[in-house]
Amino acid sequence: FMGLEPNAEGFEVSPRLPNAWPSLEIRGVLIHDYQLGIAASLDGKLTVTIEKAGRSPLTIKYAGQVKTLQPTETAPVSFSVQ
């Protein structure tokens, strides 16, 4: 349902939540050398929480938006579809 698609630089997220689900959150997602929490909601919001930072940048793509996490970042990364 989360639609995670890893790639060489990071990953792309394309959530497809059932209408009966207002949101979905998964934790402990291992991508490259990062451990992440990913939360998506029906209103188009996506939040990526860094549970354990990696050693190199990680690119996240969501709904045509691209953000790159740096190994020193600890704050959640948020996306929103208008």
Side-chain angles (χ1 to χ4, degrees), residues 13-15 39-47 61-65 67 78-82:
V13 184
S14 302
S41 61
L42 280 178
D43 63 3
K45 293 180 182 173
L46 181 84
T47 303
K61 296 179 183 179
Y62 172 65
Q65 302 170 63
K67 295 187 180 183
S78 297
F79 295 85
S80 186
V81 176
Q82 310 299 11

Side-chain angles (χ1 to χ4, degrees), residues 8-26:
E9 297 82 31
F11 65 99
E12 186 165 353
V13 184
S14 302
R16 290 180 183 82
L17 304 182
N19 288 333
W21 293 14
S23 62
L24 172 65
E25 181 177 356
I26 54 177

Side-chain angles (χ1 to χ4, degrees), residues 31-35 50 52-58 69-72:
I31 298 182
H32 295 266
D33 58 349
Y34 283 76
Q35 182 174 327
I50 302 163
K52 179 180 174 246
R55 295 181 304 272
S56 57
L58 184 74
L69 296 176
Q70 297 301 322
T72 56

